[in-house]
């Protein structure tokens, strides 16, 4: 699988715009067929359209798109993507609740991180279930049991209930992607709010085998919520990841400080992907 990073917090290139957010273009190999192309998240705004043009990625060739969860840094560019691909019929897979109102911060001081709710009526939106196959060997899933601790920053993320009350976000609107390609099992996750170790456990259950690669943000830092994972906890996570045979590709909400700790433990098994980066996973 080829991963091209269309939007990420940082970029080494003056030709590209960095934004706090994430958008990936995935190309999955298929026997006797052209690659399956997936747009996974759209970043916060129209940046993905401009960066895709610079990188030579034609967004209209995407066979499908995925919104990993209902936060603006991952789905704020959905409207720009739809406007840039008016002739496309590619479905956009979204979890119920993704278009609810979401907030970041503290109960006393917070800001809106919601998606544009008017886009929920778009005819290209497809609502997903707990385990939802989107193509042969490609499965979206959201039914993740929480055995290992969730990211500490989850405590500063909220959703507004139907009665207008403020609720701790349970992340029922989050989904991850399991890709089975050429005998390999690959997990793709946006922010891993359910906990990267929990999501990996569920992906391995679905695949029936250990993962070969994980492409994910680990949510070990959240600037908008004013939260950073404790260094000791990051090290614990790193040692747990080391027990798995996977290679790791991370970005965005992992944060550079946490990445340094992961790198100390995992060495060359973990790679940071900035905007414009590519990886053959």
């Amino acid at each position: 699988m080829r991963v091209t990073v269309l939007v990420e917090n940082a970029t080494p290139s003056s030709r590209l715009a960095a934004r706090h957010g994430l958008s990936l273009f995935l190309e999955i190999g298929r026997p006797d067929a052209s690659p399956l192309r997936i747009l996974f998240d759209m970043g916060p705004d129209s940046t993905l359209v401009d960066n895709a043009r610079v990188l030579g990625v034609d967004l209209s060739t995407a066979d499908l798109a995925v919104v990993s969860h209902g936060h603006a840094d991952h789905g704020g560019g959905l409207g720009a993507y739809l406007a840039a691909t008016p002739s496309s019929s590619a479905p956009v897979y979204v979890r119920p609740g993704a278009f609810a109102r979401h907030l970041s911060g503290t109960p006393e001081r917070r800001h809106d991180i919601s998606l544009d709710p008017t886009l929920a009526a778009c005819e290209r939106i497809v609502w997903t279930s707990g385990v939802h196959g989107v193509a042969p060997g490609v499965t979206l899933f959201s039914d993740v049991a929480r055995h290992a601790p969730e990211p500490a920053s989850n405590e500063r993320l909220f959703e507004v209930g139907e009665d207008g009350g403020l609720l701790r976000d349970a992340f029922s609107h989050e989904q991850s992607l399991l890709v089975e390609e050429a005998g390999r099992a690959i997990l793709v996750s946006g922010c891993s709010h359910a906990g990267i170790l929990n999501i990996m456990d569920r992906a391995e259950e679905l695949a029936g085998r250990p993962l070969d690669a994980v492409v994910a943000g680990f949510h070990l830092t959240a600037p908008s919520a004013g939260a950073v994972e404790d260094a000791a906890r990051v090290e614990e996570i790193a040692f747990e990841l080391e027990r798995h045979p996977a290679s790791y590709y991370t970005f965005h909400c992992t944060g550079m400080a946490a990445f340094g700790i992961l790198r100390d433990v995992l060495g060359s098994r973990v790679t940071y992907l900035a905007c414009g980066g590519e990886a053959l996973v």
Side-chain angles (χ1 to χ4, degrees):
M1 181 175 78
R2 179 184 296 276
V3 179
T4 302
V5 185
L6 302 181
V7 179
E8 206 271 338
N9 305 10
T11 177
S13 172
S14 61
R15 301 181 306 133
L16 300 168
R19 294 287 185 272
H20 178 79
L22 183 69
S23 180
L24 308 175
F25 196 76
L26 311 177
E27 298 171 86
I28 301 166
R30 295 184 288 182
D32 305 320
S34 60
L36 180 73
R37 297 178 175 90
I38 299 176
L39 179 65
F40 188 91
D41 284 342
M42 297 91 187
D45 50 31
S46 62
T47 300
L48 88 154
V49 177
D50 298 330
N51 284 352
R53 187 179 302 113
V54 172
L55 292 168
V57 173
D58 184 352
L59 294 176
S60 69
T61 65
D63 298 292
L64 60 98
V66 174
V67 177
S68 68
H69 62 291
H71 287 175
D73 53 337
H74 291 254
L78 174 58
Y81 163 64
L82 293 172
T85 58
S87 62
S88 173
S89 60
V92 180
Y93 292 95
V94 184
R95 282 284 297 155
F99 290 98
R101 192 174 175 214
H102 295 107
L103 307 171
S104 175
T106 67
E108 298 75 29
R109 187 172 182 176
R110 53 194 181 270
H111 61 278
D112 198 294
I113 56 171
S114 307
L115 307 185
D116 179 354
T118 66
L119 298 177
C122 175
E123 61 183 10
R124 288 169 60 181
I125 297 294
V126 176
W127 304 105
T128 59
S129 55
V131 178
H132 196 110
V134 297
V138 182
T139 304
L140 285 165
F141 64 95
S142 57
D143 56 341
V144 176
R146 313 289 179 91
H147 302 299
E150 302 171 26
S153 57
N154 280 6
E155 296 181 2
R156 295 193 175 192
L157 295 166
F158 305 91
E159 58 186 356
V160 177
E162 293 182 359
D163 61 355
L166 194 65
L167 305 171
R168 167 91 176 269
D169 198 333
F171 291 99
S172 62
H173 55 97
E174 181 177 59
Q175 57 187 346
S176 300
L177 188 70
L178 173 63
V179 175
E180 296 175 88
E181 176 196 53
R184 303 177 75 247
I186 303 166
L187 169 66
V188 183
S189 179
C191 265
S192 307
H193 288 284
I196 186 58
L197 298 172
N198 296 324
I199 295 171
M200 287 175 63
D201 284 347
R202 181 57 176 142
E204 290 181 340
E205 286 179 5
L206 291 170
R209 51 160 295 169
L211 295 168
D212 295 283
V214 175
V215 181
F218 297 163
H219 220 271
L220 302 176
T221 185
S224 69
V228 178
E229 199 76 37
D230 179 79
R233 175 58 187 153
V234 176
E235 189 173 50
E236 289 177 11
I237 293 170
F239 282 118
E240 286 296 320
L241 294 174
E242 188 182 33
R243 294 176 56 246
H244 295 258
S247 297
Y248 301 96
Y249 302 83
T250 193
F251 33 63
H252 179 47
C253 58
T254 296
M256 293 309 298
F259 176 73
I261 298 172
L262 296 173
R263 184 78 177 184
D264 287 343
V265 174
L266 296 166
S268 62
R269 288 177 56 195
V270 61
T271 301
Y272 194 95
L273 294 176
C275 182
E278 288 189 357
L280 289 175
V281 177

